[in-house]
Amino acid sequence: MNTKGRDYVRVNMPLLGLGTWQVRSSDIPGSLDAALSAGYRFIDTAQIYGNEAAIGKALKELLPKYNLSRENIFITSKLAPGNQGSVAEDSIQKSLENLQSDYIDLFIIHWPGSSNRSESPKNAALRRQSWETMEKLHEQGKLRAIGVSNYLERHLEELLSHTKVLPAVDQCEYHVHYQTNDLVNYCKDKGIHFQSYSTLGSPDGRKKLMNDPKVVTLAEKYKISVPVLLLAWAINQEISVLPRSTKKDHIEENFKALQIQMDPADVQSLLSNDAKSKYCWEPNSVV
């Protein structure tokens, strides 16, 4: 793919952020307080999570407590599938209002399809319209970087055929039991940062990951908890992670993953442990 002349956007994004999927608005202040205290400077949310406004309100109250400003915090939000196309710009403006910010550090298309219409022939046109809207808002400085989520290689190929701005990130399910290494390598080749969600297996696969014998053995070797080992495994591959929790001790524990330097042989041993077990949404059917 000829990328000559394309705008390559680079922003300083931490490798570990606080995920807020399924975190109720009432739990946001406590979660953010614990995260900021522990050292987190990256918060991941989305329009469909319904907690953008709670995050905006909490940050206004908490940043002064930690002598921080908006510029010290990296915020990601995502375009809801139902907001693809002509309503994208209005929905992004609403996200800015909810977050009480003049800009969003990274804004991404949450899903390659529109709503639940995975096989709709309109998906490609809606994706393109959404991206062009995001490019315009990026040029205006309202979106400092733009990217995608749940995009497979074919979705990225389509995007790269027309985009003026290289997507900064592709955020996808990735963990020891589900490794999309062809996609990871494709993103590296194109200069797109690959980001993992559900690194701990999400609700459906968490117990299986926590009890995986190889994972448990390595956690014991490094004298760390299994969740920290799983997060560190991704980070040691330069894949960023977004662990979610509302519990102060878990939030603090997860942050320790940034300090773990794994032996490359141990990273490789888990790369050979792919069970092809997908625990989240399946974008393969989205045309």
Side-chain angles (χ1 to χ4, degrees):
M1 178 79 57
N2 181 9
T3 57
K4 185 178 181 180
R6 182 172 287 132
D7 184 4
Y8 282 78
V9 177
R10 290 293 177 264
V11 291
N12 293 321
M13 180 180 68
L15 278 170
L16 189 148
L18 180 71
T20 63
W21 175 56
Q22 291 186 332
V23 177
R24 296 174 298 183
S25 293
S26 59
D27 290 328
I28 287 293
S31 296
L32 291 191
D33 195 1
L36 294 175
S37 176
Y40 289 74
R41 298 295 182 262
F42 176 12
I43 301 160
D44 179 271
T45 184
Q47 291 176 346
I48 62 171
Y49 296 173
N51 56 25
E52 286 179 329
I55 289 171
K57 183 175 184 293
L59 285 177
K60 285 290 184 182
E61 297 171 356
L62 290 170
L63 290 181
K65 176 180 177 180
Y66 294 101
N67 295 315
L68 298 170
S69 64
R70 169 65 182 88
E71 289 71 26
N72 301 128
I73 303 299
F74 191 99
I75 299 175
T76 294
S77 194
K78 312 176 191 74
L79 183 70
N83 289 335
Q84 292 253 36
S86 61
V87 298
E89 185 166 359
D90 286 344
S91 78
I92 294 170
Q93 184 57 48
K94 183 63 177 176
S95 289
L96 287 162
E97 293 171 5
N98 284 338
L99 292 165
Q100 300 187 43
S101 180
D102 295 330
Y103 66 92
I104 297 172
D105 298 277
L106 171 66
F107 194 83
I108 60 183
I109 296 176
H110 204 156
W111 185 250
S114 54
S115 193
N116 294 320
R117 299 181 291 275
S118 63
E119 298 181 2
S120 171
K122 296 180 179 180
N123 283 335
L126 290 170
R127 284 194 293 268
R128 179 164 185 161
Q129 187 176 4
S130 300
W131 188 261
E132 289 173 350
T133 295
M134 289 162 57
E135 285 185 326
K136 182 181 78 171
L137 296 176
H138 166 69
E139 186 176 354
Q140 294 173 2
K142 294 181 179 180
L143 307 177
R144 293 199 168 174
I146 53 179
V148 295
S149 181
N150 297 296
Y151 269 44
L152 303 177
E153 185 173 328
R154 58 185 170 85
H155 299 128
L156 290 169
E157 282 286 309
E158 172 194 279
L159 176 60
L160 293 178
S161 72
H162 65 76
T163 180
K164 296 176 183 177
V165 179
L166 187 77
V169 167
D170 188 11
Q171 184 187 113
C172 299
E173 179 180 357
Y174 183 86
H175 47 75
V176 168
H177 287 172
Y178 186 73
Q179 302 174 34
T180 54
N181 293 310
D182 287 345
L183 180 59
V184 172
N185 291 330
Y186 174 89
C187 287
K188 287 181 179 178
D189 182 61
K190 298 298 182 183
I192 302 167
H193 176 72
F194 187 86
Q195 186 170 73
S196 164
Y197 71 73
S198 295
T199 322
L200 303 181
S202 198
D204 292 341
R206 186 178 178 92
K207 186 175 180 180
K208 293 178 182 178
L209 273 175
M210 294 302 119
N211 293 296
D212 182 296
K214 275 192 177 181
V215 173
V216 171
T217 298
L218 282 178
E220 291 172 349
K221 173 183 175 179
Y222 288 94
K223 296 180 173 59
I224 55 178
S225 68
V226 168
V228 170
L229 186 282
L230 292 168
L231 296 170
W233 173 76
I235 292 170
N236 274 255
Q237 298 175 68
E238 298 184 347
I239 294 173
S240 52
V241 294
L242 308 162
R244 174 203 59 174
S245 183
T246 58
K247 297 179 179 179
K248 186 175 185 294
D249 57 340
H250 289 175
I251 290 171
E252 293 172 346
E253 181 75 10
N254 290 338
F255 197 68
K256 296 176 182 177
L258 289 171
Q259 304 167 7
I260 307 303
Q261 293 294 321
M262 293 182 64
D263 186 319
D266 291 333
V267 173
Q268 188 61 43
S269 73
L270 291 183
L271 282 168
S272 65
N273 212 39
D274 187 6
K276 307 297 182 187
S277 298
K278 186 165 180 47
Y279 301 128
C280 299
W281 309 278
E282 176 54 76
N284 197 53
S285 62
V286 181
V287 297

